[in-house]
Structure formats: structure tokens, C-alpha cells
Amino acid sequence: MSQEKLNGGAGPAGEPARPQTEGAPPLDAAEGLRALAESMESAAASNPLAADPELVQDFLVEAREHLSKIEACLLEIEQGVHTQETLHAAFRSFHTIKGLAGFLDYAVMQRVAHETETLLDLARNGKLVMRPAAVDVVLAAGDYLRSWLDAIEAAAAGRAAAVPPDPEPLLERVRVAAQGGEAEAEIPLEDGRAEAGQAGLPQPAEAGAGRERGEAAGRGGGDAALVKVDTAKLEYLVDMVGELVIAQTMLRHNPEFAQVKSPRLQRDIAHLTRVTGEVQKTAMAMRMVPVGQLFRRMTRLVRDLARKSGKLAELELHGEDVELDRTIVEELHDPLVHMLRNSMDHGLEPPAEREAKGKPAAGRIRLAASHQAGMIVIEISDDGRGLNRERIFRKAVERGLVAPDAKLGDHEVFHLIFEPGFSTAEQVTDVSGRGVGMDVVRKHINKLRGRIEIVSTSGAGTTFLLKVPLTLAIIDGLIVSVGGERFIVPIFAVREMFKASPEQVFTVEGKGEMAMVRGRLLPVVRLASRLGIEARSENPCEGLMIVGESGSRVFCLLVDELVGKQEVVIKSLGPAFRDSKGLAGGAILGDGKVGLILDLASIAGEAGAVVRG
């Protein structure tokens, strides 16, 4: 395959050929990968600049930054809150992408950017009004350019890639819009990666290293100097700082050091501890990114969902400066997509129905972030119909999830929507209704060691609160002892601890050992039996009961005793223990020995834990 395939097939006369002709069968992932890889080799042969991986990576980073800026500008324009500078900024971004693409001989990208730039030039010079149809076209051009970035990056990394389609239909839409016309086109559901697999569509994946370097470059203000750093180097730095903290902790707890009575040595070690702590805080802060970048991606999603459904919606963003571990921000994408789709499809009513109820025609969706008790709370709320308690309960009975005569509170009923395949939708749409969304939400939040709370009022709306930790690299843990071995129980999953009295422990037929806690029977998990260790005593009243929770599940974990509390750096157990149920990782304790971190989500599932109230 020639260089022209990747670059849009620019022939001798400069007329681009089509990477995939109309009516031809689509290339599968393997063929697309080979085609793009061959194209990059050809491009490198004719243009040495295209062979420089750093230049290509910098191009991907900068182009994505400009595409994000373009999207934000276009949404401001559509909402009527823009200034003339907003149009200039969008124009300049397309102009920059055009120049960068031409520099590396990416001819199709260059051509699409040039045509779109022309449209925006007419608008900024007052010769064209940016109506919704024109905004749609410019956004579609941005999406098309993004698909080329994904393809280029995948081909460079040797991953499967979807070949971007023929640009001619898009270019025709751009030309029609530039003449003040409206080209009909179906409105895509942007940011729909969570359901792309179901629809058979390619899932655009932004480069981890590229995106993080771009985000770092986009932050900061005033006179702050910014440096782009590859995330692989950043991760290595964080790992080494973690090792430094472990080494310092081991030194401080060394028995031989405890025997040294030198005041000067004690002062030096105290100083080392303070410095190490500050270095650790700084290193962890380097992993943090503002949640606003994720929130702003949701703006486009809500806009496209509203256009497709015929509903009116206003998205309010709050707490955009709140910072989270970048890994958590990435993992929150799919849950937010699913929940916003549900809010638009099931929560908000059509304009006529809202006005009949005395509500504004445009629904309100609130996306907010805040700090609360060492956790980050992400709030997704709407002023729509609210959850239908009776319908949820009826559907749960039909599926055999609860007994018809079960007495459940609102909290317990609402959490039934997180069961796999659960849906009360009367019909399946291309937005939601398949019964997969909320189950995905719960899995993602559990993976992040978080939990979900629901508040809903019929006719007034629903609020979901996603509570997640600040970082996944370090946790506060309770060190517990079982049969001479020590384990770490994450504090975020601990509700309370107590010494059980004989009258609190029961054996229930068909359910096993149970403990009465605040008027509720909770299943008891003997950690010693679970891990095949001999406990100090078989009498549960001589041990310590830890009331643990995971998601919406609550149970009692029986251990021998509580050793203490420690902030630990999480270490992976490696591939050999990847499938070990009940264990989430390991950590090096103060004496240099390894403590295993318990996975309460897995233990809760095996225990048949009850829904918490």
C-alpha cells in the first residue's frame, strides 16, 4: 500500500484518493491495522519527519488539545454565550491542525481542517451565521479528525485500528453549510464508547501518555511554567517515591534503631520523615488532574442526546477544580456516560409533559464534585420524573430478585436498579433500555473502592452520589491479625467494629452463621476459614467483628484482633495471584513484612451479604 492511503491518498495531482471506496466491504480490524502500518512506513520513507515517533506523538497531543478547545468553543457558540474571540479561537485551532497535518503529510486531515477553517472564517467575518446545523457540521469535522488521530496512534503502536471513512460526504456537508444551507445527517451519540461494542462501532481510545501530557500542558495559569512529561516516567517516579516511603518506615520501625538513644540521630530521622512525607505528597499531587476535563466531555454528550431525543436540557457543572487521581478520572468516564444517558432517556420528560406539570420546558442536569470526609463525591442529579419505586419493585419480583411480600425501604428498592440486566424501560432505544448501564456503573465504582447513594423523589427528580477515594495508589488500612498472619482491611470499607456477645451470634438454617448488628442479621465471614488459616480461637466472641460494606452489601468479618492503623502503598500481587479471590493487593508494613490487602467486594459476594440500609 502506498503512502497516499494513510495521508488520504494524495496523488500526483494532489487529488486525494479514498481510503475506502463507497460500496466496498469495510476493512476488518486486522486489514485496517496492516493498511495503516504500511501507510506509515511509506510516509516515513518519503517524509523523514513522519518517521520521528516523538514528532508524531507531539502532533497527536497538540491536535487533541486543539480538538477539545474547538468542541468547547462550538458548544459556547450554540448556547449563545460566546464572544467574537470564541469564533477566532475555533478558527485558529483548525488552522493549527491543518498546518501540523501538512507538516507530516497527513493530507486528508489537512484537507478536512482546511475546508472547516474556511467555514469558520466566513462566520468570524460576519458572512455566515453559526446556526445549529453549521455547529453540527463543525463538530462532525472535529470527530472525523479525532478518528484519524486514533488510527494513526493505533497503527504506530501496532494495535488494531478502524480505517477512517471516505471524507467526501463530510466535506460536502461542510461546503453546503458554508453556503448557508443545511445538509441532513444523523446526529451521532458522542462519547458513546460505553456502548460502542454493542453497536459494532469502533471505540476511539485516546492515548494515555499523550492525553496526560496534553492535560498537563492545558493546566496552570498566570506565569507558571509547564513541562510535558511522559506518564511512564511519572508513574515510575511515583513508584520510587513509594519505595522511599517504605524504606523510611522500615528504618523508623527497625528494632536496632529503637535501641539507639542519640538525640541528634532521632532529630535527623524525624527530619527525614518530614521530607519524605512532603516528597510523597508532591509526587501524588502530580498524578492529580481536575475533574473538570471529564465534566466538559459530558457537555457534548448531553447536547447530542438532547438533539437526538427532541428533549431540552441544561447541564450545570460545579466543582470543576476538584482534583482526582488521573486513573480514577479515566475510570469515571463510562459510569458518567451511562448515568447521563439514563437521566436524558428515563429521567427528563419531553418539553410538553414538563410544561403540563408546571416545570420549565428545559430539564436541568447537575454534575458536581466536592470533598467529603476524605472522599470525592460526584453528584449526578436531574429534575425529571424520579425513580418509580413501585415499577422497580414489581420488575424485581418478576425477575425473582425479591419476594413479593418483601418489606424493603426506598434505599433497598432503588439499589435494585444496579442488578445485572435490570431495566424498567418499556422499549429499547439506541440511548438506553438494555439493562446493562447501571450494572456497569456499580462494577466501575466498586473497582474504584467507592460506593453509590441514591436520593429520589417521585415527580421531582433523582440524585446519584458517587463516592470515590482521592487516589488508588495509597490507602488507609486497619492492620488485623488472624492466626499469626497480618492483613489489611481498607478503612473506607469499614462501617464499625465490635466485640460480639454470645446473644449476638446465631446459626440460621440455610444461611449459616449470622450476627445481630443494630437490629439486623448480617452474615459472618470467618477470615481464618476463608483463607485456610488456623484461628487463635473458634469462639467468635473472643475475636473482633468488623462490619464491612462493599457497594450496597454489608457483612461481618471475624478476625482475631486489631493490630493498628497504617497508611500503606498498594502493590500488585502480580500475574501469579491475579485470580486470587478475596485479595486486592499487598503492602509492605513497618517491620518490612508483607501484608495482604483484603478485597471486601469479593468476600461480600461470597458471603451473600445483605443489601445495606
Side-chain angles (χ1 to χ4, degrees):
M1 186 173 292
S2 66
Q3 168 190 349
E4 285 76 22
K5 184 67 69 173
L6 177 66
N7 297 337
E15 183 63 29
R18 299 177 180 179
Q20 184 178 312
T21 57
E22 202 168 317
L27 296 177
D28 63 20
E31 290 173 337
L33 175 60
R34 285 194 297 271
L36 287 166
E38 291 173 8
S39 298
M40 294 193 73
E41 291 176 3
S42 298
S46 62
N47 183 356
L49 296 175
D52 188 333
E54 290 191 8
L55 278 179
V56 173
Q57 183 62 41
D58 287 342
F59 164 68
L60 295 173
V61 171
E62 189 164 355
R64 284 197 172 99
E65 290 176 11
H66 283 292
L67 289 176
S68 296
K69 184 185 298 183
I70 288 167
E71 191 169 281
C73 290
L74 267 292
L75 293 175
E76 285 186 19
I77 291 169
E78 185 174 58
Q79 295 165 6
V81 295
H82 68 287
T83 63
Q84 189 67 15
E85 175 57 29
T86 309
L87 273 171
H88 291 317
F91 171 84
R92 286 194 299 268
S93 288
F94 270 109
H95 182 77
T96 302
I97 292 174
K98 180 184 75 171
L100 294 172
F103 186 68
L104 294 174
D105 284 346
Y106 296 140
V108 165
M109 294 187 67
Q110 183 182 20
R111 187 179 179 201
V112 171
H114 174 70
E115 294 284 355
T116 313
E117 172 193 44
T118 300
L119 186 155
L120 288 171
D121 189 44
L122 293 172
R124 70 180 188 143
N125 289 319
K127 299 178 181 178
L128 177 72
V129 178
M130 289 295 292
R131 295 189 174 89
V135 172
D136 284 341
V137 171
V138 178
L139 289 174
D143 293 339
Y144 184 81
L145 294 176
R146 188 176 283 111
S147 72
W148 267 101
L149 296 178
D150 294 333
I152 293 168
E153 179 183 53
R159 299 196 310 268
V163 179
D166 180 0
E168 282 303 320
L170 172 62
L171 291 173
E172 180 59 28
R173 289 181 60 198
V174 175
R175 296 186 194 105
V176 171
Q179 295 169 5
E182 296 188 9
E184 294 296 327
E186 181 180 352
I187 299 172
L189 288 181
E190 294 305 325
D191 249 329
R193 281 172 283 182
E195 294 189 8
Q198 297 174 18
L201 299 175
Q203 299 187 40
E206 298 180 56
R211 179 170 66 255
E212 294 308 323
R213 291 194 292 176
E215 288 165 354
R219 293 192 302 273
D223 299 323
L226 301 176
V227 178
K228 295 182 179 180
V229 180
D230 191 291
T231 49
K233 296 179 181 178
L234 179 59
E235 292 297 333
Y236 183 73
L237 172 64
V238 172
D239 287 343
M240 289 301 99
V241 171
E243 294 294 333
L244 176 63
V245 172
I246 291 170
Q248 180 268 326
T249 303
M250 291 170 59
L251 176 62
R252 188 160 49 89
H253 289 84
N254 191 310
E256 295 182 7
F257 172 75
Q259 297 175 6
V260 179
K261 304 300 181 182
S262 168
R264 179 175 179 178
L265 182 59
Q266 295 288 347
R267 287 196 303 271
D268 291 345
I269 291 296
H271 180 65
L272 173 63
T273 301
R274 286 194 299 271
V275 172
T276 303
E278 289 302 317
V279 171
Q280 182 186 31
K281 289 179 182 178
T282 303
M284 296 310 301
M286 294 169 66
R287 292 172 56 104
M288 310 296 274
V289 295
V291 74
Q293 60 185 329
L294 174 63
F295 283 7
R296 286 188 288 274
R297 290 166 67 186
M298 298 300 111
T299 304
R300 172 76 183 278
L301 173 67
V302 171
R303 179 256 186 199
D304 288 343
L305 288 170
R307 294 287 302 278
K308 192 172 186 70
S309 65
K311 296 179 180 179
L312 301 177
E314 297 175 356
L315 179 63
E316 298 178 3
L317 303 181
H318 300 273
E320 298 170 78
D321 294 335
V322 172
E323 292 192 335
L324 267 173
D325 188 301
R326 67 176 184 83
T327 304
I328 296 180
V329 170
E330 292 170 1
E331 290 290 340
L332 281 174
H333 175 272
D334 283 357
L336 290 186
V337 166
H338 282 298
M339 300 186 84
L340 288 173
R341 283 172 178 247
N342 275 278
S343 290
M344 288 296 300
D345 202 34
H346 302 307
L348 297 186
E349 310 93 332
E353 182 179 336
R354 290 181 61 85
E355 290 178 335
K357 294 178 179 179
K359 296 181 178 181
R364 181 182 60 83
I365 296 178
R366 173 184 167 91
L367 195 53
S370 61
H371 291 271
Q372 186 182 102
M375 305 281 281
I376 295 295
V377 180
I378 307 295
E379 174 192 333
I380 306 100
S381 62
D382 63 69
D383 62 349
R385 300 185 180 96
L387 294 179
N388 189 318
R389 187 189 192 284
E390 290 70 26
R391 182 182 295 178
I392 294 172
F393 184 80
R394 186 168 61 249
K395 191 71 174 182
V397 171
E398 291 175 5
R399 296 196 52 208
L401 296 174
V402 297
D405 58 349
K407 304 297 183 184
L408 302 179
D410 288 347
H411 180 90
E412 295 167 308
V413 172
F414 293 158
H415 270 82
L416 291 170
I417 67 175
F418 295 110
E419 294 298 322
F422 190 93
S423 177
T424 59
E426 297 177 358
Q427 63 181 9
V428 174
T429 70
D430 55 358
V431 176
S432 64
R434 297 180 179 89
V436 296
M438 301 310 285
D439 179 37
V440 170
V441 170
R442 181 171 67 176
K443 287 180 179 178
H444 274 78
I445 300 304
N446 285 347
K447 179 181 177 182
L448 295 174
R449 307 196 305 266
R451 60 179 184 269
I452 307 174
E453 295 179 4
I454 306 174
V455 179
S456 183
T457 303
S458 181
T462 304
T463 297
F464 290 89
L465 300 174
L466 311 183
K467 298 186 177 182
V468 296
L470 279 168
T471 178
L472 298 179
I474 295 177
I475 62 169
D476 285 324
L478 296 178
I479 314 299
V480 299
S481 172
V482 178
E485 301 292 337
R486 288 175 298 173
F487 300 90
I488 302 166
V489 181
I491 284 182
F492 67 81
V494 175
R495 180 180 274 195
E496 60 181 300
M497 297 178 289
F498 67 95
K499 280 275 190 179
S501 59
E503 58 272 14
Q504 283 183 283
V505 183
F506 306 87
T507 299
V508 179
E509 185 177 356
K511 293 187 177 181
E513 202 168 20
M514 308 285 285
M516 180 64 73
V517 182
R518 302 188 184 279
R520 300 187 68 192
L521 278 176
L522 302 180
V524 175
V525 177
R526 292 176 178 259
L527 188 58
S529 301
R530 171 67 179 73
L531 300 177
I533 302 173
E534 184 177 348
R536 185 176 60 188
S537 172
E538 292 298 318
N539 185 351
C541 298
E542 294 183 6
L544 178 70
M545 292 280 190
I546 297 177
V547 180
E549 60 181 358
S550 175
S552 59
R553 306 288 171 171
V554 186
F555 66 102
C556 289
L557 185 69
L558 178 61
V559 300
D560 287 347
E561 64 178 341
L562 175 66
V563 177
K565 171 183 172 294
Q566 183 178 329
E567 183 179 75
V568 297
V569 179
I570 302 173
K571 297 290 184 181
S572 170
L573 295 178
F577 299 93
R578 182 178 299 155
D579 298 326
S580 299
K581 293 184 178 180
L583 301 178
I588 299 177
L589 303 178
D591 58 3
K593 294 183 179 180
V594 174
L596 295 176
I597 302 171
L598 299 179
D599 178 7
L600 295 195
S602 174
I603 295 174
E606 294 181 4
V610 300
V611 176
R612 65 186 175 92

